[in-house]
Amino acid sequence: MLCRRIVACLDVADGRVVKGTNFVNLRDSGDPVELAKRYSDEGADEIVFLDIAASHESRPTLLGVVSKVARQVFVPLTVGGGVRCVDDASLLFNAGADKVGVNSAAVRRPKLLTELSNAFGIQATVLAIDAKRAANSWIVYLMGGREATQLDAVDWAKAGQDAGAGEILLTSMDADGVRQGFDLDLVNAVCAVTNIPIIASGGAGSTGHFVDLFSRTDASAGLAASILHERSTSILSIKEALSSADIAVRPA
């Protein structure tokens, strides 16, 4: 059985890690370089760095910060925010990223996923989907959760895979920062129409939530942010809880 992954997330704005609830009311959570090193040392399987204001501010990702983070971590690093073309992605890889994440630009031009996977490999192309429940489905939001679309998140996950995404970072905007557990319905709906790794994001509040995620869905990874930033729990504690539940994880 493949080991499930624990992914530490750094949402970065103005050079600082921030975290909010449902994508609003952001609060400072620390220095991205220091936190990245801490999570790498503590046994995170991967780290995601998201420049959450880059697309909204129509600027490139903070390359200097990405480079400093990359020099401190010894696990795969995914970087997203502001990637609009192959050249943007190339700069991130040169700065030390192992994968690139795209959201808004991919929705506006799905061929971008094809171009990225052709240039860098499907394993390095991550489609980020920010999804919010609407009646009996979920719709995709862009620009760091600021702009609603009419795009169904489950349909887009399938289309994104077909276009060239090798992994999906799936964030529930409803669960984000609430710490009441992952949106298992959303995760299962996306897993049902795809066959690439899914990173579930939004809602982690305890070690038990990761047990629920991996016991009840086919998600490949679970993402944690605020509970790690605020030391509510640790990567080691999450992995110990998973091991106790007979869920395969890499040692911390």
Side-chain angles (χ1 to χ4, degrees):
M1 180 181 295
L2 291 175
C3 290
R4 306 297 184 99
R5 293 171 289 146
I6 304 303
V7 178
C9 184
L10 307 174
D11 293 316
V12 178
D14 298 322
R16 300 285 293 178
V17 175
V18 296
K19 195 68 189 82
T21 303
N22 308 128
F23 282 44
V24 296
N25 299 322
L26 301 179
R27 57 191 180 275
D28 187 285
S29 294
D31 177 76
V33 180
E34 292 176 2
L35 288 176
K37 183 178 188 306
R38 187 177 112 200
Y39 299 146
S40 177
D41 291 346
E42 289 179 355
D45 296 304
E46 298 189 18
I47 292 174
V48 170
F49 178 112
L50 299 176
D51 186 341
I52 61 173
S55 294
H56 174 64
E57 296 174 358
S58 300
R59 60 166 174 77
T61 315
L62 298 168
L63 287 174
V65 182
V66 171
S67 181
K68 290 178 181 177
V69 166
R71 288 197 293 269
Q72 295 295 326
V73 303
F74 299 95
V75 296
L77 174 65
T78 298
V79 181
V83 177
R84 300 173 183 83
C85 62
V86 168
D87 286 345
D88 289 340
S90 184
L91 291 172
L92 292 179
F93 286 118
N94 289 337
D98 298 288
K99 308 176 190 178
V100 294
V102 289
N103 180 350
S104 302
V107 170
R108 297 198 166 109
R109 195 172 67 86
K111 189 179 178 182
L112 174 60
L113 293 167
T114 308
E115 294 168 354
L116 291 172
S117 61
N118 286 342
F120 307 109
I122 191 171
Q123 82 290 339
T125 305
V126 181
L127 173 60
I129 299 177
D130 295 334
K132 189 172 185 178
R133 188 179 287 274
N136 295 319
S137 63
W138 297 266
I139 59 172
V140 174
Y141 274 68
L142 309 181
M143 311 300 281
R146 296 174 179 86
E147 180 182 322
T149 72
Q150 297 302 309
L151 192 59
D152 180 272
V154 178
D155 291 343
W156 173 227
K158 177 65 167 63
Q161 172 186 275
D162 294 343
E167 189 169 36
I168 292 174
L169 172 57
L170 179 65
T171 300
S172 166
M173 294 179 63
D174 303 291
D176 175 71
V178 180
R179 302 193 191 187
Q180 295 300 307
F182 296 93
D183 188 335
L184 303 183
D185 291 339
L186 172 61
V187 176
N188 277 321
V190 170
C191 286
V193 299
T194 58
N195 55 19
I196 56 177
I198 305 298
I199 303 172
S201 168
S206 69
T207 59
H209 291 153
F210 288 89
V211 175
D212 288 343
L213 173 68
F214 296 134
S215 298
R216 299 170 59 188
T217 80
D218 290 327
S220 298
L223 182 145
S226 58
I227 60 170
L228 298 181
H229 304 336
E230 298 171 13
R231 298 182 185 272
S232 300
T233 190
S234 66
I235 294 164
L236 177 60
S237 295
I238 294 169
K239 290 192 171 185
E240 286 178 340
L242 292 170
S243 293
S244 295
D246 293 324
I247 296 168
V249 291
R250 297 182 182 92

